[in-house]
Amino acid sequence: MVCVGTSPQERPLVVWIDLATPPQVLFFRPIVAELERRGHSVAITARDFSETVLLLKQFGLEAAVIGWHGGKTLVGKAFAILRRTGGLLAYARAKGFAVAVSHNSYAQALAASVLRLPLVTLMDYEHQPANHVAFRLARRVIVPEVFPADALRRYGVSESKAQRYRGIKEEVYLADFTPDPVLLPGLGIPSAAIVVTVRPPATMATYHRFENPLFDKVVRYLLGKPGVCVVFLPRVPEQGRRLVDEGFPNLVVPRAPLDGPNLIYHSDLVIRGGGTMNREAAVLGTPVYTVYKGRLGAVDRYLLDCGRMSLIACERDISHIVLRKKDGSPQAFGRPGLLAEVVEMILTTTESTLSKRTHHASTV
């Protein structure tokens, strides 16, 4: 006997989103809004790491804060992930979630597996070793169109399990970006200054386990240039204090977290050791250099190949950095329709699971 009822597409769902880093707050903010606009409920959990919790409060997103970062050592990371997995299990066990979604949250992947909860993971860097965990446990793996097919196969992802979206993930959440004209004056930066925003490498990440002396040389080169104002965004307070103590007159170390995309838009140049900020600059039309010393991912190679990013590979390249005021011509940001495309990929995974459950229940 087959029962007729509400189709999965019409059912309001409860979606569980887990956030582990500050950029993930920016990425999922419009996804949460779009899910809620479609009538679904969203529950958010977050790891207490860097500015993640502060950004959630800034955007008015409520979240259950569970767990912390494990530090630089692999043992510390593993312990923190396992402990956080236990916390997420306790949180999610009786919530009735339809699907778990994250940008490669390993703790959520483990918790969802134990709870037999469909997992959707998104990722845009193919050299992350822990992809082996999240990708294999996921029901759906969502990646940019330039993500290498051989990397997906290496992590156990079949073509039917993977879905690709156009462009890059930063175009998902920057489509509704609006510049804030008072940001730089609020930092005390003269309008005539060439503003260079720099951020150190993610040395605590599992894919970046070494120091980068080249980045330090780049920072000191910039601080020695007249007419340049360096906005330094430390990952940990000691990084900022070290430079402040040296008394550079053209150094700005913000006292509180800033709106990253707005700072990037109003900068004349961005230099970072890889990561989200570089790709945001490429989308927002700000010249950007990467000093990343690890293995470049396909997304960064794509941006380098099309001239939207430049690479500082050695000390000789430092003197070739172009320092000038950016052309402030208006432009469109993001990629129209991309947000809806990604949300559809998440929901179709859930709807497929519910359809199977409904069919099984109706034929018993």
Side-chain angles (χ1 to χ4, degrees):
M1 177 179 180
V2 177
C3 297
V4 178
T6 305
S7 70
Q9 292 86 341
E10 297 170 348
R11 299 173 184 172
L13 305 174
V14 184
V15 180
W16 171 25
I17 293 177
D18 187 48
L19 306 173
T21 66
Q24 292 174 15
V25 179
L26 300 177
F27 176 67
F28 278 105
R29 175 190 58 81
I31 292 176
V32 169
E34 178 65 13
L35 286 168
E36 292 178 339
R37 188 190 69 78
R38 298 186 185 203
H40 305 295
S41 300
V42 179
I44 301 174
T45 50
R47 182 177 62 168
D48 187 5
F49 172 63
S50 190
E51 299 100 0
T52 304
V53 177
L54 287 173
L55 280 173
L56 283 164
K57 292 178 180 177
Q58 178 180 322
F59 290 117
L61 297 173
E62 295 185 6
V65 180
I66 300 171
W68 58 87
H69 194 282
K72 288 189 175 184
T73 69
L74 290 177
V75 173
K77 287 183 175 70
F79 176 77
I81 289 172
L82 291 176
R83 188 179 180 94
R84 187 163 188 262
T85 299
L88 293 178
L89 277 169
Y91 168 83
R93 194 175 296 276
K95 290 292 195 297
F97 294 138
V99 64
V101 185
S102 71
H103 205 273
N104 246 35
S105 166
Y106 318 121
Q108 188 197 49
L110 294 170
S113 178
V114 172
L115 296 172
R116 296 183 180 275
L117 187 63
L119 172 69
V120 176
T121 191
L122 299 96
M123 189 53 172
D124 63 348
Y125 183 59
E126 68 271 24
H127 302 308
Q128 166 59 273
N131 286 345
H132 279 291
V133 176
F135 282 22
R136 293 179 189 279
L137 294 177
R139 185 74 53 83
R140 175 77 66 198
V141 177
I142 301 175
V143 295
E145 58 187 353
V146 298
F147 199 99
D150 62 333
L152 288 172
R153 290 192 294 270
R154 188 167 67 249
Y155 296 126
V157 179
S158 63
E159 284 299 322
S160 61
K161 186 176 182 177
Q163 280 197 281
R164 298 176 179 275
Y165 58 86
R166 299 166 297 132
I168 62 177
K169 81 172 190 295
E170 288 72 18
E171 292 176 306
V172 173
Y173 62 86
L174 290 174
D176 63 351
F177 172 75
T178 302
D180 177 4
V182 302
L183 188 142
L184 291 186
L187 293 174
I189 298 175
S191 59
I194 298 172
V195 181
V196 183
T197 294
V198 300
R199 185 163 170 84
T203 53
M204 288 194 296
T206 55
Y207 53 83
H208 200 301
R209 293 163 53 194
F210 43 83
E211 300 299 325
N212 189 343
L214 182 60
F215 188 87
D216 293 334
K217 293 177 181 179
V218 170
V219 172
R220 294 181 181 280
Y221 171 81
L222 296 169
L223 289 169
K225 285 291 183 179
V228 170
C229 178
V230 175
V231 181
F232 186 81
L233 306 178
R235 289 184 178 273
V236 292
E238 304 86 71
Q239 293 172 326
R241 283 196 293 265
R242 185 186 67 183
L243 287 176
V244 169
D245 289 346
E246 294 188 43
F248 293 103
N250 59 335
L251 172 70
V252 174
V253 180
R255 296 177 180 273
L258 299 176
D259 180 340
N262 256 297
L263 176 61
I264 291 167
Y265 173 80
H266 289 291
S267 297
D268 299 298
L269 182 66
V270 168
I271 299 180
R272 179 179 163 168
T276 298
M277 184 175 287
N278 285 357
R279 296 187 291 273
E280 288 175 338
V283 173
L284 294 174
T286 299
V288 55
Y289 289 81
T290 181
V291 199
Y292 185 55
K293 297 299 289 182
R295 299 175 66 186
L296 285 174
V299 171
D300 283 353
R301 292 197 305 272
Y302 158 73
L303 293 174
L304 288 167
D305 290 343
C306 62
R308 297 168 68 184
M309 182 188 296
S310 300
L311 175 66
I312 299 175
C314 62
E315 195 168 347
R316 291 193 307 274
D317 295 337
I318 297 177
S319 62
H320 297 298
I321 295 173
V322 178
L323 296 171
R324 64 186 175 205
K325 295 294 289 182
K326 184 179 72 172
D327 176 14
S329 302
Q331 65 176 83
F333 309 112
R335 189 181 289 261
L338 184 54
L339 171 61
E341 183 180 324
V342 171
V343 170
E344 281 297 322
M345 291 178 183
I346 294 170
L347 291 177
T348 52
T349 303
T350 308
E351 289 158 2
S352 173
T353 301
L354 289 177
S355 294
K356 290 177 182 177
R357 290 177 180 172
T358 302
H359 177 74
H360 176 74
S362 64
T363 54
V364 173

